[in-house]
Each structure stands twice: as structure tokens, then as C-alpha cells.
Amino acid sequence: MKHLFLTSEVQYVARAIGSKVDSVKKANAVYIVTAIRDKVHSNLDWHHKCKANMESAGFRFTMYDLTDKSQNQIISELAKYDTMYVEGGNSFYLLQESQKSGFIPFVQRRVQEGMIYIGTSAGSVIAGPDIEPFRQDDRAALAPDLKGTQGYNLVNFIICPHWGQEKRRDLFNTYRLNHMYNEDHPFVVLNDHQYVEVVDDSFSIHTANQL
Amino acid sequence: MTQHLFLTSSIGTPGVATSIRRRLGHTRPIKTAFITTPVESPSEQEDLSWYEADRTALRSVGFDFFDYTVTGKKSSDFIHDLAATDAIYISGGNTRHLLKQSQLSGFIPFIRDFVNSGKLYISTSAGSIITGPQLPPYLWGEEVDVPDLTDYSAYQFVKFTFIPHWGSSGFRNLYLGGRMEQIYAENLQPFVLCNDHTYIEVIGDQYQIIDVRNE
């Protein structure tokens, strides 16, 4: 059974997600940190809160970076996990390292086999068919070896995270919405307290009020 | 019974009606009420070619429909006129006018009972927007056609607001020229931005997005 949780920022919805995952799978989880290893993110308070709230919800993680890994390493080191959390950050750098390491066919196969996939922001966007709508030139510049912008294709829509955040208002209204405005793919637009749960080919939308 | 809806931007887009029909899993004629209320308002009369395309598409895949408006009706009329139909199709057009007439006529409790009984709900554009928790805020406020609409609560079949025609050139100026900015707020339900080639099948509280270009 395919089972994913796609969030804007898991710190606000961790408890709700934790209540839907059994304790064995929560105890055997890997935390992909690649999207924050691009040296752009100087303030990582949000990341620490995401991790802390996931741990409070019962998840136990091994931290893991895809950077410079081979496909053999990916398979041998990640196949044992029941749950994978993919952190937010730079989706372009994350995709570049996913391509270089051979991670994409691995994650596609593991999700089909029943590994639970949880994403925050970039980790949710990349689960869809394409990350191009979220291009920001400064971030894409940190992924010079990127070969195309096709995502993991775990779902057939694109999550649009952080809707309504005041600090992103200008980004959305002067740039991002223009970039999103095409007929290529549908979007599910979420604020930080909403998340999508995917079970096989269907999804549901939820709101959590965790502070 | 489990609710079953098909929410489209435009059922007349090639492939959409055929895809919906295929997902129903049978070829029997489906007795359908075609709700024309959204196209009654004067603002909709300029170009109805899309409306004719929607009707042709529905008819071509076996929806045996008759036209019906909720305007001027009362609750008992719906039970008499619509209870024996298999499906209700709600057209695109003026969402505010549709909501106002739904409120005035008592159509909202009827359509909720109809859908909760497991009968089919199919829609285009305005008929899809109105299935959400409330109208999107860019449809709030004064409008010449519907000056006295003050309650924006909608049919509430789904937990998101359907935003139709995403990416189409004809709506670019509307969406990017103010509509999206008006709904940029954290206190609203989620939005699903659907282009004309995609539609959503709703079964209970589970949603699936289908892109007919991939079928």
C-alpha cells in the first residue's frame, strides 16, 4: 500500500501524522537532510522544530544525506527503513543529489512496497511530477548539474506549500504564481497547518492545529 | 451511503466526459437533471459556446438529461422533480447567482441529501466551486448581478475549494490580476488548482485527480 503524508511544515502537523503511523514504523525511520545542505539556509530553527515535534510524536530517526552517495550505498543503507521523512529546503539541490545518487528509482520502488513517505515543503513538492514551478534562481544556481526538473512522481499533483505566510506574500504574488500559471499539472495549495494523506491512488486533506 | 462526485473545470474539454463515463463502469443511460441556474444571469449571456460544448459532451456519453433550474422553486419541488433522477449535473456560469438561488429555494439541504444517498453529482466550474466549504473570497462582496448575497457558505461536500481553469489563457488576467492575491491567507481551506484537462473524482472523503491527457 502506498502511504504518504505531504505537508507544508511538519512541525505543525507532526502529532496528527504520528497518530496515524504504527509505533514499529515510527521507530524505524530515516530523516533525509539533503535539502538543507546547500549552504543557503542559515536559520534552521524550523528544521530543529520539525525534528523535535516528530520525535515528540514518536518517530525515531537516523539522519541521512544523499550527497555524494552511490546507488549501491543508497540501496544498502536505506532499504531497512519503514518510514522516510524528507526535509524541506532547496528542492533543486535535493533533486540534483537524488538524480546523481540513483535515489529516485529507489524511493519509487520503496513507496510502492509500503514504505511510508513524509515530506515537508521541498520534500513534498519533489514527490510530485515537477519542481519547475518553484524555481528560484538563487537556489537553482546551487544545483548546476541538475538534469531536468521532473520530480519523484509519487503523486500526480504538485503540493504548493506555505500558502498565506506573510513573509512569502511578495514571492507568491510577484513571481511564484506567474511561474505556476500553466496547464501542465494540478496543484494542491496548503497552509502550514494543512497536509495531504495519500493512500494508494487517492488522497484526503486534513487540518491540524498543533502549535 | 458514500458520496460520489466528479468535479471538472470544463466537462466539454475533449476526453473529460468520456473518462468520467468510463469510471462509472457501465453503459446504461443515466437519467440526469442538468442544472442551468448558473447561466441564467445576464453576465453569462455573451458567449455560451462553452455551455453548448458541455451539453454535447454529456449527451454523447449517455447522460440522458433534462434542463432544470432551482430559481423560483421551493423544497417540495425538488423532491417531486428530482428525486427519481440518477444524477445531478451543475453547469458552469455565475457561482454567486447559483449560491443565492440555492439559498432562496432550499436547494442546499436537498442536494446534500441527494449526494449523501449515493447518487451522482457532476459539475463544471461554478458547479465545482460551490461544492467546497465556502465561495472563495474573490467572489465575495458587491456585484450587480447578485447584490444581496451575504452568506458565502457553500454545499460543503469537500474540504477544499476547487479553483477551475488554472493555466488557461482566458483566465490569466483574472487569477494573476487579483483573484489569487485576494485568497492569499492562512485562515482558508486548501485550494486545488485544476486545469481544463484534469478533474477530481470524490468518493467519500477520498479524492483522486485524473488528467485525461494521460489516459
Side-chain angles (χ1 to χ4, degrees), chain B residues 92-105:
Chain B
N94 188 321
T95 319
R96 291 169 49 96
H97 177 72
L98 171 62
L99 180 58
K100 185 64 188 177
Q101 295 306 323
S102 297
Q103 291 168 347
L104 287 172
S105 62

Side-chain angles (χ1 to χ4, degrees), chain A residues 7 9-20 26 49-59 118 195 208 210:
Chain A
T7 81
E9 198 155 324
V10 84
Q11 64 165 301
Y12 300 109
V13 297
R15 194 183 308 144
I17 291 174
S19 70
K20 296 178 175 183
K26 284 196 288 190
K49 286 176 183 164
C50 286
K51 184 166 180 288
N53 286 2
M54 288 291 273
E55 288 171 343
S56 293
F59 290 90
I118 304 170
Y195 68 94
Q210 186 175 349

Side-chain angles (χ1 to χ4, degrees), chain A residues 33-49:
Chain A
V33 294
T34 308
I36 53 171
R37 292 297 171 88
D38 67 347
K39 310 289 193 287
V40 161
H41 296 87
S42 51
N43 181 349
L44 289 176
D45 285 353
W46 62 271
H47 156 66
H48 298 303
K49 286 176 183 164

